[in-house]
Amino acid sequence: KGSNDDDNATISDVSVEVNPSNSSPTPDSQSNNDPSDNDSTEALAKALSSMLTSLIKDFDSKAHDTLTSQDLLSSSIDRLTRELDQLLEDAPLPFIMQHAAKFSNVRKRVFSLNLLLKSIQRRIDNIDRMLSMGLQHEKTVTEDS
């Protein structure tokens, strides 16, 4: 671990022990006749899958919270824009018009960011779905063996 232990406190460390005698492929090591190799490979695959699933769920949760926050921000900006429009109707001063333009620009940027976050959320959902389908397929193949 480095000096950023506090920043990475939510990420679990995973260590894998590699046997140097099996590091070079030989005909014996490539055959899947040794049940301990299959067990260790399966255990490693499950550990990696479990770690990735928990990370994706964590990112998914944070992305959802961010989307909710962005929606709230967007509605607040919309409300302020309406109030500024009303203010402009009452007193069209150059100062007010300048700030109205700034709010309009912020509103466009928030909208653009919302679209980007929703795209990222869809991608995370697709990755999660593919991992889930892979686990189900792996479980089915293992049970059939």
Side-chain angles (χ1 to χ4, degrees):
K1 286 193 169 188
S3 62
N4 292 335
D5 288 345
D6 294 337
D7 295 339
N8 297 326
T10 60
I11 298 176
S12 301
D13 290 333
V14 175
S15 65
V16 178
E17 187 175 314
V18 177
N19 188 347
S21 64
N22 291 337
S23 63
S24 61
T26 63
D28 291 338
S29 68
Q30 288 179 352
S31 68
N32 289 329
N33 294 336
D34 188 1
S36 64
D37 284 345
N38 288 341
D39 291 344
S40 62
T41 302
E42 188 175 318
L44 177 61
K46 285 182 181 179
L48 287 173
S49 176
S50 175
M51 183 183 73
L52 287 173
T53 300
S54 66
L55 284 173
I56 287 174
K57 285 182 181 179
D58 184 44
F59 288 138
D60 187 39
S61 172
K62 289 180 181 180
H64 179 69
D65 292 346
T66 303
L67 282 174
T68 303
S69 174
Q70 289 294 322
D71 287 340
L72 180 62
L73 177 62
S74 182
S75 66
S76 295
I77 289 174
D78 287 344
R79 182 184 51 81
L80 284 171
T81 302
R82 286 191 302 274
E83 290 177 10
L84 265 175
D85 288 342
Q86 183 63 41
L87 187 60
L88 283 173
E89 288 177 13
D90 296 341
L93 300 173
F95 175 76
I96 294 173
M97 292 172 72
Q98 179 184 7
H99 286 287
K102 285 181 183 179
F103 275 117
S104 179
N105 288 337
V106 169
R107 182 176 183 222
K108 288 176 186 175
R109 290 189 345 229
V110 167
F111 181 74
S112 175
L113 183 60
N114 268 340
L115 290 177
L116 177 64
L117 287 172
K118 288 177 182 179
S119 172
I120 291 169
Q121 181 69 43
R122 280 193 309 273
R123 289 178 181 176
I124 289 174
D125 290 343
N126 286 340
I127 290 170
D128 189 34
R129 199 172 315 118
M130 285 191 298
L131 275 175
S132 296
M133 288 186 336
L135 287 175
Q136 290 172 355
H137 177 70
E138 179 182 310
K139 184 177 179 182
T140 304
V141 169
T142 305
E143 289 173 354
D144 290 344
S145 298

